[in-house]
Amino acid sequence: PGFSSNGLDRLQTILNEPTGLELNAAGELQFNESLNSVVRRVQADGTVILVAGMPLVSGYSGNGLPGLQATFSSPLDAVFTANGDFLIADSSNGVVRVIMNGDIVDTLSGNIEGHDVAQEEAAALEAHLGNPRGLTIDTAGKIYTVASSSPNTIIRTSSGFARAVVGSNPGSGGFNGDGLSGTQTLINFPTDVLFDTTQGLIFTDTSNNRVRTVTNLAEASNTPPTAVIVTTPDRLGQAPLKVRF
């Protein structure tokens, strides 16, 4: 663990808890370094450059500024949007941030002093995301954030508003069975989330030792999604790993 200078070959570069691997449109690997609180990229020639953040400096600053003038704190998962924006679960800051295609940083959702998001919509920048970990985007461009620990929910953000789509009684983890609507279902320390090829939402309900899926993920609050468990027999009873389809 440590930090090495910009521009070294990928096999000579020292990393410190890399997370959130994504490929950009050019096929270059971009990722967060959680303990160094930076974003890095492996270029086509194999050298590693700093994209955003100040090495070994954790903080919450730089909205409206270029990436290298911003600070982050324990960034975890990440995802590229269709237009090339890079979304980051800025976990210890309790927010989701974006490095826009033009290299400007902003906050999309979350407020470390915000309130828990219920099934009703709330302003995205007032939403309490706890320590966001997992991120994914649906085909309509809506962002889904795993709000781990407290509030133990999965939150959908669209057009500046946030709504919990999975997780009952924000702040309380637990397990109360399957077949319930998403916002009646207790989950416990969710960590990752993705969509399958049919746009079913799959997430790791880590402290419940389950991988679960959400069907009927409806937009309207009066038709909440249904949570159904999905397990792999040889991993039953173990903490689920990251899954990609």
Side-chain angles (χ1 to χ4, degrees):
F3 184 82
S4 58
S5 301
N6 234 6
L8 294 179
D9 181 81
R10 66 187 189 281
L11 298 181
Q12 297 176 329
T13 301
I14 298 172
L15 305 178
N16 204 348
E17 289 202 7
T19 59
L21 300 173
E22 288 288 317
L23 294 175
N24 65 15
E28 298 170 322
L29 181 66
Q30 190 157 306
F31 58 92
N32 300 323
E33 273 189 77
S34 179
L35 291 188
N36 285 333
S37 292
V38 296
V39 181
R40 306 189 85 171
R41 180 188 302 142
V42 182
Q43 300 190 111
D45 63 1
T47 57
V48 179
I49 63 168
L50 186 64
V51 174
M54 299 181 185
L56 308 177
V57 177
S58 293
Y60 179 57
S61 66
N63 283 346
L65 298 176
L68 295 178
Q69 297 179 38
T71 57
F72 305 84
S73 187
S74 299
L76 294 178
D77 205 8
V79 63
F80 275 107
T81 67
N83 65 359
D85 293 343
F86 190 65
L87 307 186
I88 301 167
D90 194 359
S91 183
S92 291
N93 284 325
V95 297
V96 174
R97 307 198 53 198
V98 58
I99 304 173
M100 289 178 272
N101 208 2
D103 191 38
I104 299 299
V105 174
D106 205 354
T107 297
L108 289 182
S109 64
N111 186 328
I112 203 162
E113 297 178 353
H115 55 80
D116 291 332
V117 176
Q119 192 174 344
E120 295 75 25
E121 285 188 335
L125 292 176
E126 297 177 2
H128 178 216
L129 302 182
N131 297 114
R133 301 179 73 88
L135 293 173
T136 196
I137 301 174
D138 68 14
T139 55
K142 298 181 181 68
I143 303 164
Y144 292 75
T145 305
V146 174
S148 297
S149 186
S150 175
N152 281 303
T153 53
I154 297 174
I155 294 170
R156 177 172 58 205
T157 304
S158 177
S159 302
F161 291 91
R163 169 187 288 167
V165 294
V166 181
S168 173
N169 190 18
S172 298
F175 180 76
N176 61 348
D178 301 309
L180 302 172
S181 71
T183 51
Q184 293 176 328
T185 300
L186 288 172
I187 58 179
N188 198 356
F189 198 66
T191 54
D192 201 8
V193 63
L194 56 82
F195 282 98
D196 65 18
T197 55
T198 66
Q199 286 295 287
L201 187 72
I202 300 172
F203 67 96
T204 50
D205 192 359
T206 303
S207 291
N208 281 327
N209 299 305
R210 287 168 165 81
V211 177
R212 308 179 81 177
T213 186
V214 184
T215 57
N216 187 32
L217 191 58
E219 178 70 27
S221 61
N222 60 353
T223 53
T226 302
V228 181
I229 197 168
V230 175
T231 60
T232 304
D234 62 357
R235 291 203 56 80
L236 190 61
Q238 302 179 45
L241 300 176
K242 187 162 184 156
V243 181
R244 289 291 181 201
F245 289 84

